[in-house]
Amino acid sequence: MKLLENKTALITGASRGIGRSHALLFAEEGANIIFTDLQANDNSESLLAELRAKGVRADFLASNASDFAQAQEVAQWVEANYGRLDVLVNNAGITRDQLILRMSVEDWNLVLDVNLRSVFNYTKAFAPLMMKQRAGSIINISSIVGLNGNAGQCNYAASKAGIIGFTRSIAKELGSRGIRCNAVAPGFIETPMTRQLSEDVRKEWMKQIPLHRGGLDTDVAHVSLFLASELAGYVTGQVISCDGGLAIN
Ligand code: NAP
């Protein structure tokens, strides 16, 4: 029996990177997948084809996760077309790094909107359906930066720390309805987001990681798979780091 057989999962911002890896792993474990991204592109089309080739039902919805009304439309579409949602992964996220003295109000707002408001939008949009089902697993992708902070990333750190407070509150609010809510805090993961960093910055990160390597997007997806599945049936309100030990330094 696969871990997510007969389950339906939605992952935001999943055309590439960590979200894509979640979609593929969850599909291998039997889940039907709905994934979103800002717009359709080669990545979303190839992911859709790969998911369907695994024999599960899959759909892509172009939707801006930071837009409240669009999240409501996605939830209505999912309820009408799939009838239920078992797993919600709030993954969409961006960086706009800058030291506080140079950070614009636009970059502050944009990062908070895409990274944190989106988590509110999707949790609020799908809570009624999950409450009706009396079951659901919500997984919010935070970051080690939300736990430890990072110079040059105060907007990102605030958004990811906000996700942790939100996660624990939702776990308390919705636990009695059978809904679990947890966060994953990845460290340095090899994705397009981190490939933008200079070689010097990368070397500095590697020195600080006890396992001496960057994480893979599949490393993060494996933690989420545990949280999504019944293996984590008694786990809620937790923040699980997936960082090669970085956070213990
Ligand atoms: P990524 O490769 O940049 O992928 C992010 C995805 O989110 C892209 O597909 C992007 O779409 C999409 N997206 C951006 N804005 C969106 C919006 N408003 N609505 C819907 N989708 C949107 O990033 P990643 O490294 O996989 O990161 C995924 C998550 O993990 C993020 O929340 C990130 O903060 C978190 N994380 C990453 C790392 C790391 O080391 N990579 C570490 C800790 C936490 P486009 O293709 O259109 O831009």
Side-chain angles (χ1 to χ4, degrees):
M1 176 86 172
K2 293 178 170 177
L3 284 172
L4 300 180
E5 199 83 63
N6 300 322
K7 304 277 188 202
T8 296
L10 184 145
I11 303 139
T12 64
S15 290
R16 59 186 164 95
I18 291 172
R20 185 183 185 100
S21 184
H22 277 70
L24 290 167
L25 181 65
F26 285 15
E28 269 160 36
E29 290 296 332
N32 296 318
I33 306 289
I34 304 116
F35 69 99
T36 75
D37 221 323
L38 281 174
Q39 52 202 12
N41 56 28
D42 289 352
N43 288 335
S44 59
E45 278 172 27
S46 66
L47 178 58
L48 198 53
E50 281 184 58
L51 292 170
R52 289 179 177 160
K54 291 182 188 297
V56 299
R57 190 173 165 198
D59 279 289
F60 166 71
L61 300 175
S63 188
N64 183 346
S66 66
D67 185 298
F68 181 80
Q70 289 187 37
Q72 293 284 321
E73 284 167 19
V74 168
Q76 283 158 16
W77 188 93
V78 170
E79 188 164 3
N81 288 277
Y82 281 77
R84 61 182 296 114
L85 189 76
D86 301 287
V87 182
L88 167 64
V89 183
N90 284 308
N91 167 76
I94 58 167
T95 51
R96 290 292 182 277
D97 299 348
Q98 197 53 270
L99 297 169
I100 182 71
L101 292 182
R102 292 200 196 126
M103 185 171 292
S104 67
V105 122
E106 289 76 20
D107 281 349
W108 171 268
N109 287 339
L110 184 63
V111 168
L112 268 290
D113 282 354
V114 175
N115 295 7
L116 182 58
R117 186 191 292 257
S118 63
V119 178
F120 163 76
N121 289 346
Y122 271 77
T123 305
K124 186 168 168 67
F126 281 102
L129 181 58
M130 288 184 167
M131 286 165 78
K132 250 194 282 173
Q133 298 166 181
R134 301 195 73 79
S137 172
I138 302 170
I139 299 159
N140 299 322
I141 307 299
S142 177
S143 167
I144 187 181
V145 172
L147 292 166
N148 290 3
N150 197 24
Q153 288 198 302
C154 69
N155 51 358
Y156 186 77
S159 71
K160 295 300 186 179
I163 285 177
I164 292 170
F166 182 86
T167 299
R168 293 193 167 129
S169 303
I170 296 302
K172 289 182 178 180
E173 243 180 82
L174 301 184
S176 64
R177 308 300 184 95
I179 300 168
R180 297 182 292 107
C181 184
N182 293 286
V184 181
F188 187 100
I189 308 298
E190 305 279 1
T191 67
M193 188 182 265
T194 48
R195 278 196 277 277
Q196 297 165 9
L197 298 171
S198 72
E199 209 33 52
D200 285 351
V201 174
R202 289 178 59 83
K203 275 192 192 139
E204 211 35 58
W205 277 101
M206 293 313 142
K207 266 195 251 162
Q208 294 172 42
I209 300 171
L211 290 182
H212 284 302
R213 67 165 177 91
L216 304 175
D217 44 24
T218 46
D219 290 324
V220 184
H222 282 128
V223 176
S224 296
L225 174 62
F226 164 69
L227 291 172
S229 76
E230 282 311 310
L231 293 176
Y234 202 51
V235 179
T236 195
Q238 303 305 306
V239 184
I240 303 187
S241 293
C242 179
D243 62 359
L246 185 56
I248 57 180
N249 276 332

